mmCIF file with all atom_site columns, all heavy atoms in Angstrom:
data_model
loop_
_atom_site.group_PDB
_atom_site.id
_atom_site.type_symbol
_atom_site.label_atom_id
_atom_site.label_alt_id
_atom_site.label_comp_id
_atom_site.label_asym_id
_atom_site.label_entity_id
_atom_site.label_seq_id
_atom_site.pdbx_PDB_ins_code
_atom_site.Cartn_x
_atom_site.Cartn_y
_atom_site.Cartn_z
_atom_site.occupancy
_atom_site.B_iso_or_equiv
_atom_site.pdbx_formal_charge
_atom_site.auth_seq_id
_atom_site.auth_comp_id
_atom_site.auth_asym_id
_atom_site.auth_atom_id
_atom_site.pdbx_PDB_model_num
ATOM   1  N  N   . ALA M 1 1   ? 9.481  5.481  -11.456 1.00 38.00 ? 1   ALA M N   1
ATOM   2  C  CA  . ALA M 1 1   ? 9.781  6.531  -12.455 1.00 38.00 ? 1   ALA M CA  1
ATOM   3  C  C   . ALA M 1 1   ? 11.306 6.835  -12.352 1.00 38.00 ? 1   ALA M C   1
ATOM   4  O  O   . ALA M 1 1   ? 12.032 6.760  -13.312 1.00 38.00 ? 1   ALA M O   1
ATOM   5  C  CB  . ALA M 1 1   ? 8.963  7.783  -12.183 1.00 38.00 ? 1   ALA M CB  1
ATOM   6  N  N   . SER M 1 4   ? 13.715 4.138  -13.562 1.00 44.00 ? 4   SER M N   1
ATOM   7  C  CA  . SER M 1 4   ? 13.926 3.959  -15.072 1.00 44.00 ? 4   SER M CA  1
ATOM   8  C  C   . SER M 1 4   ? 14.857 5.055  -15.533 1.00 44.00 ? 4   SER M C   1
ATOM   9  O  O   . SER M 1 4   ? 15.679 4.682  -16.432 1.00 44.00 ? 4   SER M O   1
ATOM   10 C  CB  . SER M 1 4   ? 12.524 4.054  -15.661 1.00 44.00 ? 4   SER M CB  1
ATOM   11 O  OG  . SER M 1 4   ? 11.730 3.155  -15.250 1.00 44.00 ? 4   SER M OG  1
ATOM   12 N  N   . ALA M 1 53  ? 4.939  7.781  -18.124 1.00 98.00 ? 53  ALA M N   1
ATOM   13 C  CA  . ALA M 1 53  ? 5.655  6.492  -18.386 1.00 98.00 ? 53  ALA M CA  1
ATOM   14 C  C   . ALA M 1 53  ? 5.835  6.310  -19.965 1.00 98.00 ? 53  ALA M C   1
ATOM   15 O  O   . ALA M 1 53  ? 6.805  5.736  -20.351 1.00 98.00 ? 53  ALA M O   1
ATOM   16 C  CB  . ALA M 1 53  ? 4.881  5.319  -17.840 1.00 98.00 ? 53  ALA M CB  1
ATOM   17 N  N   . ARG M 1 56  ? 8.214  9.684  -21.617 1.00 96.00 ? 56  ARG M N   1
ATOM   18 C  CA  . ARG M 1 56  ? 9.689  9.629  -21.491 1.00 96.00 ? 56  ARG M CA  1
ATOM   19 C  C   . ARG M 1 56  ? 10.357 8.609  -22.448 1.00 96.00 ? 56  ARG M C   1
ATOM   20 O  O   . ARG M 1 56  ? 11.537 8.571  -22.601 1.00 96.00 ? 56  ARG M O   1
ATOM   21 C  CB  . ARG M 1 56  ? 10.104 9.243  -20.046 1.00 96.00 ? 56  ARG M CB  1
ATOM   22 C  CG  . ARG M 1 56  ? 9.709  7.893  -19.611 1.00 96.00 ? 56  ARG M CG  1
ATOM   23 C  CD  . ARG M 1 56  ? 10.073 7.622  -18.229 1.00 96.00 ? 56  ARG M CD  1
ATOM   24 N  NE  . ARG M 1 56  ? 9.509  6.351  -17.862 1.00 96.00 ? 56  ARG M NE  1
ATOM   25 C  CZ  . ARG M 1 56  ? 8.983  6.000  -16.668 1.00 96.00 ? 56  ARG M CZ  1
ATOM   26 N  NH1 . ARG M 1 56  ? 8.910  6.894  -15.738 1.00 96.00 ? 56  ARG M NH1 1
ATOM   27 N  NH2 . ARG M 1 56  ? 8.509  4.852  -16.465 1.00 96.00 ? 56  ARG M NH2 1
ATOM   28 N  N   . PRO M 1 133 ? 0.249  2.465  -14.097 1.00 98.00 ? 133 PRO M N   1
ATOM   29 C  CA  . PRO M 1 133 ? 1.173  3.574  -14.311 1.00 98.00 ? 133 PRO M CA  1
ATOM   30 C  C   . PRO M 1 133 ? 2.696  3.079  -14.304 1.00 98.00 ? 133 PRO M C   1
ATOM   31 O  O   . PRO M 1 133 ? 3.558  3.883  -14.684 1.00 98.00 ? 133 PRO M O   1
ATOM   32 C  CB  . PRO M 1 133 ? 0.996  4.462  -13.087 1.00 98.00 ? 133 PRO M CB  1
ATOM   33 C  CG  . PRO M 1 133 ? 0.506  3.550  -12.035 1.00 98.00 ? 133 PRO M CG  1
ATOM   34 C  CD  . PRO M 1 133 ? -0.393 2.485  -12.753 1.00 98.00 ? 133 PRO M CD  1
ATOM   35 N  N   . PHE M 1 134 ? 2.950  1.836  -13.963 1.00 97.00 ? 134 PHE M N   1
ATOM   36 C  CA  . PHE M 1 134 ? 4.325  1.423  -13.688 1.00 97.00 ? 134 PHE M CA  1
ATOM   37 C  C   . PHE M 1 134 ? 5.016  0.662  -14.921 1.00 97.00 ? 134 PHE M C   1
ATOM   38 O  O   . PHE M 1 134 ? 5.942  -0.025 -14.720 1.00 97.00 ? 134 PHE M O   1
ATOM   39 C  CB  . PHE M 1 134 ? 4.530  0.707  -12.407 1.00 97.00 ? 134 PHE M CB  1
ATOM   40 C  CG  . PHE M 1 134 ? 3.964  1.414  -11.257 1.00 97.00 ? 134 PHE M CG  1
ATOM   41 C  CD1 . PHE M 1 134 ? 2.827  1.096  -10.587 1.00 97.00 ? 134 PHE M CD1 1
ATOM   42 C  CD2 . PHE M 1 134 ? 4.633  2.595  -10.832 1.00 97.00 ? 134 PHE M CD2 1
ATOM   43 C  CE1 . PHE M 1 134 ? 2.328  1.758  -9.519  1.00 97.00 ? 134 PHE M CE1 1
ATOM   44 C  CE2 . PHE M 1 134 ? 4.173  3.349  -9.761  1.00 97.00 ? 134 PHE M CE2 1
ATOM   45 C  CZ  . PHE M 1 134 ? 3.026  2.915  -9.061  1.00 97.00 ? 134 PHE M CZ  1
ATOM   46 N  N   . VAL M 1 135 ? 4.385  0.772  -16.044 1.00 97.00 ? 135 VAL M N   1
ATOM   47 C  CA  . VAL M 1 135 ? 4.869  -0.018 -17.265 1.00 97.00 ? 135 VAL M CA  1
ATOM   48 C  C   . VAL M 1 135 ? 6.262  0.623  -17.616 1.00 97.00 ? 135 VAL M C   1
ATOM   49 O  O   . VAL M 1 135 ? 6.458  1.886  -17.496 1.00 97.00 ? 135 VAL M O   1
ATOM   50 C  CB  . VAL M 1 135 ? 3.940  0.153  -18.372 1.00 97.00 ? 135 VAL M CB  1
ATOM   51 C  CG1 . VAL M 1 135 ? 3.640  1.604  -18.854 1.00 97.00 ? 135 VAL M CG1 1
ATOM   52 C  CG2 . VAL M 1 135 ? 4.385  -0.694 -19.506 1.00 97.00 ? 135 VAL M CG2 1
ATOM   53 N  N   . GLU M 1 136 ? 7.154  -0.248 -18.012 1.00 96.00 ? 136 GLU M N   1
ATOM   54 C  CA  . GLU M 1 136 ? 8.541  0.200  -18.253 1.00 96.00 ? 136 GLU M CA  1
ATOM   55 C  C   . GLU M 1 136 ? 8.911  0.170  -19.798 1.00 96.00 ? 136 GLU M C   1
ATOM   56 O  O   . GLU M 1 136 ? 8.399  -0.699 -20.503 1.00 96.00 ? 136 GLU M O   1
ATOM   57 C  CB  . GLU M 1 136 ? 9.509  -0.651 -17.501 1.00 96.00 ? 136 GLU M CB  1
ATOM   58 C  CG  . GLU M 1 136 ? 9.277  -0.364 -15.992 1.00 96.00 ? 136 GLU M CG  1
ATOM   59 C  CD  . GLU M 1 136 ? 10.366 -0.921 -15.126 1.00 96.00 ? 136 GLU M CD  1
ATOM   60 O  OE1 . GLU M 1 136 ? 11.170 -1.688 -15.553 1.00 96.00 ? 136 GLU M OE1 1
ATOM   61 O  OE2 . GLU M 1 136 ? 10.377 -0.467 -13.952 1.00 96.00 ? 136 GLU M OE2 1
ATOM   62 N  N   . GLU M 1 137 ? 9.848  1.045  -20.176 1.00 96.00 ? 137 GLU M N   1
ATOM   63 C  CA  . GLU M 1 137 ? 10.196 1.185  -21.570 1.00 96.00 ? 137 GLU M CA  1
ATOM   64 C  C   . GLU M 1 137 ? 10.602 -0.235 -22.177 1.00 96.00 ? 137 GLU M C   1
ATOM   65 O  O   . GLU M 1 137 ? 10.199 -0.483 -23.296 1.00 96.00 ? 137 GLU M O   1
ATOM   66 C  CB  . GLU M 1 137 ? 11.345 2.148  -21.714 1.00 96.00 ? 137 GLU M CB  1
ATOM   67 C  CG  . GLU M 1 137 ? 11.884 2.219  -23.091 1.00 96.00 ? 137 GLU M CG  1
ATOM   68 C  CD  . GLU M 1 137 ? 12.758 3.335  -23.410 1.00 96.00 ? 137 GLU M CD  1
ATOM   69 O  OE1 . GLU M 1 137 ? 12.949 4.282  -22.411 1.00 96.00 ? 137 GLU M OE1 1
ATOM   70 O  OE2 . GLU M 1 137 ? 13.329 3.538  -24.492 1.00 96.00 ? 137 GLU M OE2 1
HETATM 71 MG MG1 . MG  Q 2 .   ? 8.263  2.299  -14.374 1.00 83.69 ? 2   MG  Q MG1 1
#
Side-chain angles (χ1 to χ4, degrees):
Chain M
S4 298
R56 67 182 173 219
F134 303 111
V135 62
E136 297 194 344
E137 174 165 354

